[in-house]
């Protein structure tokens, strides 16, 4: 997610600094960025890969954020990890800079409670994969300033994407809707209603979804989907209870595309 967000901002003309946890992660990020930009340039002749990559810097030092006007946090969906990243960034950036979380389900209001300048903080929920996705959820808290709302709409529009504005609630709008469909698809697979291929085909062909709910879960990561489901189950009740098939696959290390197997097999590189 972080690499995709960095890529679209760089393609939009911004100078971008990516912070990674160590040298190995930084090297992987550089490779992902180079690959993503190359693919974008192959699809769109207006994108100059060399120019875009020249706008991207990868670092392991939070001090590299000193001059940034906007910081987007995109670490995994763990509250303590997000709070650590956000508070460290806030201590470095100027008081006039904006701070954003890319959480897909955690309380943005709760994260704002841990910050010194909550009025300059909101959620921007990007979708995976970021470059081709058209939608960004703008998640506001009770303390997000009107200036921030206007600025965030402008950032999203400048990326060629469309913002929808939601107020902080568990799962926002898109995660709740997407997860309900995905969890029901998993239950149908568990009950033997249909194969994974045919369940996905029902949504792609019948409802014009770009990708079926099970293959989308493989892309997002089964572990990520499980974490979101557990959070929403606790917050909103039984309709978000994770099916046993999801728990079993995560326990077996079948996490989706990143592990080579999820609801589908990716061992052949498909």
């Amino acid at each position: 997610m972080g690499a995709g967000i960095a890529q679209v901002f760089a393609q939009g003309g911004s100078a971008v600094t990516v912070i990674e946890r160590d040298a190995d992660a930084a090297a992987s990020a550089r490779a992902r960025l180079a690959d993503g930009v190359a693919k974008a340039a192959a699809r769109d002749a207006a994108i100059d890969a060399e120019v875009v990559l020249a706008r991207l810097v990868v670092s392991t030092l939070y001090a590299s954020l000193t001059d940034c006007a906007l910081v987007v946090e995109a670490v995994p969906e763990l509250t303590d990890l997000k709070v650590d990243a956000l508070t460290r960034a806030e201590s470095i950036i100027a008081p006039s800079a904006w701070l954003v979380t890319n959480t897909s389900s955690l309380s943005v209001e709760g994260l704002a409670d841990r910050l010194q300048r909550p009025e300059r903080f909101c959620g921007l929920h990007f979708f995976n994969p970021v470059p081709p996705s058209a939608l960004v959820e703008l998640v506001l808290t009770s303390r997000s300033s009107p200036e921030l709302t206007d600025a965030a709409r402008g950032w999203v529009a400048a990326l060629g994407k469309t913002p929808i504005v939601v107020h902080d609630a568990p799962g926002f709008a898109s995660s709740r809707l997407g997860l309900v469909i995905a969890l029901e698809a998993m239950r149908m697979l568990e009950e033997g209603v249909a194969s994974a291929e045919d369940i996905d085909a029902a949504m792609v062909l019948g409802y014009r979804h770009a990708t079926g709910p099970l293959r989308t879960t493989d892309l997002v990561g089964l572990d990520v989907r499980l974490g979101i489901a557990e959070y929403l189950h606790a917050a909103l009740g039984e309709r978000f209870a994770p099916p046993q098939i999801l728990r079993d696959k995560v326990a077996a290390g079948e996490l989706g595309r990143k592990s080579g197997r999820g609801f589908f097999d990716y061992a052949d590189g498909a």
Side-chain angles (χ1 to χ4, degrees):
M1 289 298 290
I5 294 167
Q7 178 184 328
V8 295
F9 272 100
Q11 287 175 192
S14 296
V16 180
T17 298
V18 178
I19 305 298
E20 286 289 353
R21 65 183 178 274
D22 55 36
D24 288 343
S28 295
R30 288 188 191 95
R32 284 196 303 276
L33 287 164
D35 182 61
V37 173
K39 288 177 178 176
R43 292 191 300 267
D44 184 350
I47 296 174
D48 186 321
E50 276 192 31
V51 171
V52 174
L53 288 172
R55 297 182 185 128
L56 288 157
V57 173
V58 182
S59 173
T60 59
L61 303 174
Y62 272 75
S64 301
L65 300 176
T66 302
D67 296 327
C68 290
L70 167 66
V71 173
V72 181
E73 165 272 308
V75 301
E77 293 286 276
L78 300 169
T79 299
D80 289 345
L81 187 60
K82 286 189 177 290
V83 168
D84 179 64
L86 289 166
T87 53
R88 290 174 70 183
E90 189 183 42
S91 71
I92 292 293
I93 60 179
S96 60
W98 303 105
L99 189 58
V100 163
T101 177
N102 180 51
T103 183
S104 58
S105 65
L106 299 180
S107 170
V108 179
E109 192 87 46
L111 295 173
D113 288 341
R114 309 290 289 274
L115 299 174
Q116 297 297 313
R117 297 186 291 276
E119 72 281 0
R120 304 193 72 79
F121 174 72
C122 70
L124 281 184
H125 176 206
F126 288 84
F127 288 76
N128 197 5
V130 177
S133 297
L135 178 68
V136 178
E137 261 185 317
L138 167 54
V139 187
L140 302 175
T141 75
S142 61
R143 288 164 289 180
S144 298
S145 70
E147 294 81 9
L148 173 54
T149 304
D150 292 341
R153 286 179 183 272
W155 302 328
V156 175
L159 299 178
K161 302 183 185 299
T162 301
I164 63 168
V165 178
V166 299
H167 290 278
D168 189 36
F172 317 135
S174 60
S175 290
R176 283 169 69 165
L177 291 168
L179 189 63
V180 164
I181 294 171
L183 294 178
E184 189 59 29
M186 294 174 206
R187 294 186 187 102
M188 291 169 64
L189 182 64
E190 195 171 49
E191 294 165 10
V193 173
S195 67
E197 291 83 358
D198 286 348
I199 291 169
D200 271 13
M203 299 309 296
V204 172
L205 301 177
Y207 289 87
R208 302 297 184 186
H209 287 204
T211 310
L214 297 174
R215 199 171 292 280
T216 298
T217 296
D218 280 356
L219 176 62
V220 171
L222 276 70
D223 52 338
V224 174
R225 274 263 155 102
L226 176 58
I228 295 170
E230 288 176 332
Y231 172 73
L232 293 182
H233 182 208
L236 297 173
E238 285 303 308
R239 66 188 187 274
F240 289 102
Q244 192 61 44
I245 190 173
L246 178 59
R247 295 190 183 280
D248 289 347
K249 283 185 171 292
V250 171
E254 296 179 8
L255 308 181
R257 286 184 60 178
K258 61 188 174 186
S259 70
R261 185 171 182 82
F263 290 104
F264 297 90
D265 189 353
Y266 303 90
D268 60 358

